[in-house]
Amino acid sequence: MENLIEKLKTEIVTQLNLEHIKPADIGTDDPLFGDGLGLDSIDALELIVLLDQNYGLSIDDPEKGRTIFKSVRTMAEYIQANK
Amino acid sequence: MRLGITTYCSIGHLSVKVNRKVVFRAADGSEDLLKLIYNQLNPAYPKFFKMDDLCRLGFLGVEWIVKERPELSESEDDAIALVFQNEMSSLQSDSEHQLQLNKGVASPATFVYTLPNIVVGEIAIRNKWFGESAFFVGPKSDVAMLVDYTKSLILNRKAKIGIVGFIESFAGDHFLRLLVVEETNSGDEFNVVSLSKFIAE
C-alpha cells in the first residue's frame, strides 16, 4: 500500500503538471481539492484519465469520484480494491 | 480623442523588451524561454505550469506590462480591453490533442487549450479584468482591423485602456508584441503605421 501511495503521488505530479510541487510535499491524507492540494475541475478529469490509463479503472458514477479522489490514500484504496 | 501608445512589450528571440529596452535575455541555446521568463518574474502563480505555451506567452507579456504599469491592476474591472490576434490559433495544443486522440485517450488538460481565446481568459482571471475582449485569428495579420477594433472600443467608451497586439506560439517559437493604448497626448499615436512598425521590430 505504501509503495502504491508513493507511486500515485509521483503520477499525480506528472499527470497534472504540478511543477511547483514535489511528490513528497503531498500529504497522504490531505484533501486533493479545496484547501488541500487545490486541484480544479480539469484536474479531476485528469485524475480519471490517470486511473484509466495507468490502472485500467474507469469511474462511471461521478458521485463515486468525490469519495475516490478525496485524498491519495482513498485513491490508493480504490485501486487496491478494484485492480 | 487621441489614442497614444503608453507601454510596449515584446517577447521573442530569447529576450523580453519593455518600452524597447531589454529587461530579460536568456543565454544562447536556452531551452524553454517561457519558464526562464517565469522564473525571472517569479509571480508565484502555479496555474502557469498548466497552461499551454500560447497562454504562457500572453500571460507573461501582460505580467511584464503590469510590472511596468502597476496601476493597471487597480483599474476598474471593466476598464481594460484585451484585443489579440494571431495566424496559427492554438495550433500547438490542437496538434497535441490530435496526437492524443490518435493514441486513444485525450488529456482534458490539453483539450481545454484548443481555443486561442483561452489566453484572454487566463489573463482576465489573473488580473480580475472582466471587460471587453477578443482574440482574432486569420491567415494573415490584419493590423488595420486590430487598430479599428481597439479604437472603436475606446472611442465608444466600452473600455478606457486597450492591451492590444499579436501573440503567436508554435513548436517552441514565440512571438509577442503587445501595446497599452489609451487616451493621451503623449507617446506615439496608435495607428496602423505605429503598430506595423512595432510588429516589425
Side-chain angles (χ1 to χ4, degrees), chain A residues 10-60:
Chain A
T10 302
E11 289 173 338
I12 289 170
V13 167
T14 304
Q15 184 93 10
L16 306 186
N17 287 325
L18 304 178
E19 296 196 18
H20 60 299
I21 291 174
K22 295 187 181 82
D25 295 338
I26 302 175
T28 303
D29 295 299
D30 288 351
L32 293 174
F33 296 87
D35 293 335
L37 202 50
L39 304 184
D40 60 22
S41 57
I42 300 300
D43 296 321
L45 294 173
E46 285 292 339
L47 291 179
I48 292 172
V49 171
L50 187 157
L51 283 187
D52 187 17
Q53 280 187 317
N54 298 6
Y55 300 94
L57 297 173
S58 59
I59 297 172
D60 301 324

Side-chain angles (χ1 to χ4, degrees), chain B residues 77-138:
Chain B
D77 64 7
D78 61 350
I80 296 176
L82 302 171
V83 185
F84 305 142
Q85 188 180 130
N86 78 6
E87 297 175 8
M88 290 195 279
S89 185
S90 52
L91 186 57
Q92 182 67 46
S93 286
D94 298 349
S95 305
E96 288 170 17
H97 180 59
Q98 185 61 55
L99 286 172
Q100 291 167 1
L101 286 175
N102 294 346
K103 289 178 183 172
V105 181
S107 159
T110 303
F111 173 69
V112 293
Y113 290 107
T114 57
L115 282 172
N117 54 335
I118 302 302
V119 177
V120 171
E122 294 287 10
I123 294 168
I125 290 167
R126 164 65 168 167
N127 294 284
K128 298 182 175 59
W129 294 336
F130 305 119
E132 293 285 336
S133 66
F135 197 120
F136 297 100
V137 178

